[in-house]
Amino acid sequence: QQQVKQSPQSLIVQKGGISIINCAYENTAFDYFPWYQQFPGKGPALLIAIRPDVSEKKEGRFTISFNKSAKQFSLHIMDSQPGDSATYFCAAQGVGSNYKLTFGKGTLLTVNP
Amino acid sequence: DAGVIQSPRHEVTEMGQEVTLRCKPISGHDYLFWYRQTMMRGLELLIYFNNNVPIDDSGMPEDRFSAKMPNASFSTLKIQPSEPRDSAVYFCASTWGTDTQYFGPGTRLTVL
């Protein structure tokens, strides 16, 4: 059972455009939703994260939008740059889960110059 | 700190051979996670430890896989015997008292 569904699988955006990646979850016990960024040949690294007590969190060009009732959250990358080209993973963590994360399958983002 | 260290970075072996992957977590971190990454299945959690004790190994695919953490600074993931379907990138990650997991660079395993 895939507990975190991520879409699209791949995304191509022009430089300066907005990249949007969506995730949906099923388990209402999840209470922490991070996004990880992975460059080729590297391990994933935390990009930004949100808890369900807020509907939006912004850090620079990266914004998470969170819809608790719909059990959905999304990553928006404003003014996308070629250096943002990477694979992005959404994830979810449950209360008392000992920091155990369930990951989406990832989105390969390509930003064309 | 050097971050999470994994070795080897690349491993090519033949079917049936034993493979041992190694991980050194960030000093002071008390949680250690082993993941497997493939195109088809994405990032899968195999097993994780807290204070060197295995907490959840429900993600370990079968008995051919085993993991140990003999001390706070070292963990191994062993596959015996290896099969071509085990080919993947294996990541180790660690954390301490926070929600952020710090991943190592991974070991790319190819089983011929």
Side-chain angles (χ1 to χ4, degrees), chain A residues 27-97:
Chain A
N27 188 346
T28 55
F30 288 146
D31 72 338
Y32 175 70
F33 303 89
W35 286 88
Y36 278 75
Q37 180 187 54
Q38 184 182 27
F39 293 104
K42 305 291 186 183
L46 179 67
L47 180 64
I48 186 173
I50 196 169
R51 293 194 182 274
D53 53 343
V54 296
S55 60
E56 185 176 282
K57 183 174 182 180
K58 183 176 181 179
E59 291 183 2
R61 296 183 294 107
F62 301 90
T63 299
I64 299 179
S65 296
F66 186 81
N67 186 328
K68 187 174 182 179
S69 60
K71 293 188 285 186
Q72 296 175 346
F73 58 109
S74 60
L75 176 69
H76 296 235
I77 306 174
M78 309 299 289
D79 187 26
S80 299
Q81 299 297 311
D84 297 330
S85 297
T87 300
Y88 292 82
F89 294 93
C90 63
Q93 177 180 292
V95 178
S97 67

Side-chain angles (χ1 to χ4, degrees), chain A residues 32 36 38 41-44 46 51 89 93 97-101 103-105, chain B residues 9 31 33 35 37 40 43 45 48 55-56 91 97-101 103-104:
Chain A
Y32 175 70
Y36 278 75
Q38 184 182 27
K42 305 291 186 183
L46 179 67
R51 293 194 182 274
F89 294 93
Q93 177 180 292
S97 67
N98 284 319
Y99 310 111
K100 178 179 176 180
L101 288 172
F103 283 90
K105 288 197 172 182
Chain B
R9 293 295 311 276
Y31 283 86
F33 304 81
Y35 291 90
Q37 183 176 39
M40 288 297 294
L43 266 170
L45 177 65
Y48 73 97
I55 302 300
D56 184 348
F91 288 102
T98 74
D99 297 311
T100 302
Q101 291 189 18
F103 282 75

Side-chain angles (χ1 to χ4, degrees), chain B residues 21-73:
Chain B
L21 311 181
R22 297 172 176 79
C23 174
K24 176 179 169 56
I26 293 173
S27 178
H29 284 192
D30 58 351
Y31 283 86
L32 184 140
F33 304 81
W34 281 101
Y35 291 90
R36 178 173 67 177
Q37 183 176 39
T38 61
M39 289 295 292
M40 288 297 294
R41 301 173 70 89
L43 266 170
E44 300 175 280
L45 177 65
L46 300 177
I47 185 172
Y48 73 97
F49 297 81
N50 177 220
N51 291 322
N52 314 336
V53 177
I55 302 300
D56 184 348
D57 65 354
S58 60
M60 297 285 262
E62 48 197 277
D63 292 345
R64 297 184 297 106
F65 286 70
S66 63
K68 294 182 180 179
M69 193 165 185
N71 57 62
S73 58

